[in-house]
Amino acid sequence: MENYTPIYKITDEILTSAYEIAADLERINIIRENALTPELRKENRIKTIHSSLWIEANSLTLQQVTDIVNGKRVSGPAKDILEVKNAITAYDELLDCDPYNEKDLLKQHALLMNGLVENAGKYRNAGVGVFSGNVPIHIAPPHSQVTILMSQLLEWVKNAKLPQVVKSCIFHYEFEFIHPFMDGNGRMGRMWQTLLLYQTNPIFAWLPVETVVAHNQQDYYKAIRRSTTNNDSGIFAAFMLHALKEASADFKAKYERGEIKDDKNGGVNGGVNGGVNELQKSILSAMKDNPNITIAQIATFLNTPKRTIENNVRKLKDKKIIERIGADKDGRWRILDNHLNC
């Protein structure tokens, strides 16, 4: 079997969209993980989970998803509630994953589909297809080829000489074409594109692109079908780039309205005591309330990737604002700067 290489045409439309997305984020001038407050991260993550599952016919409302994220009980189909809980867990772990590592991909599928399918975290062992009624829209490659196809696709997206934003869109289509799992392919494809985009710019992890896709669901499926019919994943890439452009433009508009601020405006990277940002103040507040809290618990409490919390804790230590007393597991935090308003 020859190496699996996506077939695509890079059009002026694709290049223009990629440039406009980069320009939107560059103008914001806060291209770093601290660009969003924990509250805005949480809001966008809830939108992402709700929209991605709504595309897959989950019946829960945005408010119900919000309630589940906040630990409240909701009434609804048990399967739909479990899908939301699984997605929360999977997205909490996502940004600590390596997008080119197959084991991480399978681990995320296991989290996403836990209790929903028998073979969560494993590639399919049977043939699958996508149907409209009784009409086949797409028949996926034989299951015997899935392992090698996915290995080659991950190798391609890691090494292809294309802008990451374009590669992520092509990967998304090719993932859906291979259809590596018995179920959960749509939500996994969208999730993994987010992870790929995160490698270029952390802001991408918090853009609710799935909301744009959900609002254009029929066009989303149409773009997949057209790419398959024309043997050109560039068609789907053009659609997804438009969705990314809309999401990044919305983010920029919020920034320009003052909902998201940079350190020049005294916002998330401003603050007291040598530039302590809003996320770091939230971390300090959590430590003040519970000196025994772990980094993992802070990450869960603030709905922020563990790696991001670790980076900011390290900065607080470097600034001599906090220190750790005792071991990681049974130690405690001590806040050294008593003038902080936490």
Side-chain angles (χ1 to χ4, degrees), residues 8-21 162-163 165-167 169-170 232-242:
Y8 52 86
K9 296 176 184 176
I10 301 299
T11 63
D12 290 343
E13 178 186 15
I14 287 175
L15 293 176
T16 299
S17 293
Y19 170 79
E20 290 176 343
I21 292 166
L162 287 172
V165 67
V166 177
K167 284 199 296 184
C169 295
I170 293 173
D232 176 13
S233 55
I235 295 171
F236 178 79
F239 166 82
M240 280 304 303
L241 285 165
H242 278 297

Side-chain angles (χ1 to χ4, degrees), residues 7 30 33 81-82 150 154 160 185 191 193 214 218 266 270 309 313 319:
I7 298 174
I30 48 173
E33 285 180 284
I81 293 172
L82 181 57
M150 285 304 302
L154 290 170
N185 294 286
M191 176 186 286
Q193 180 175 9
Q218 295 307 313
I309 299 298
V313 166
K319 294 175 182 177

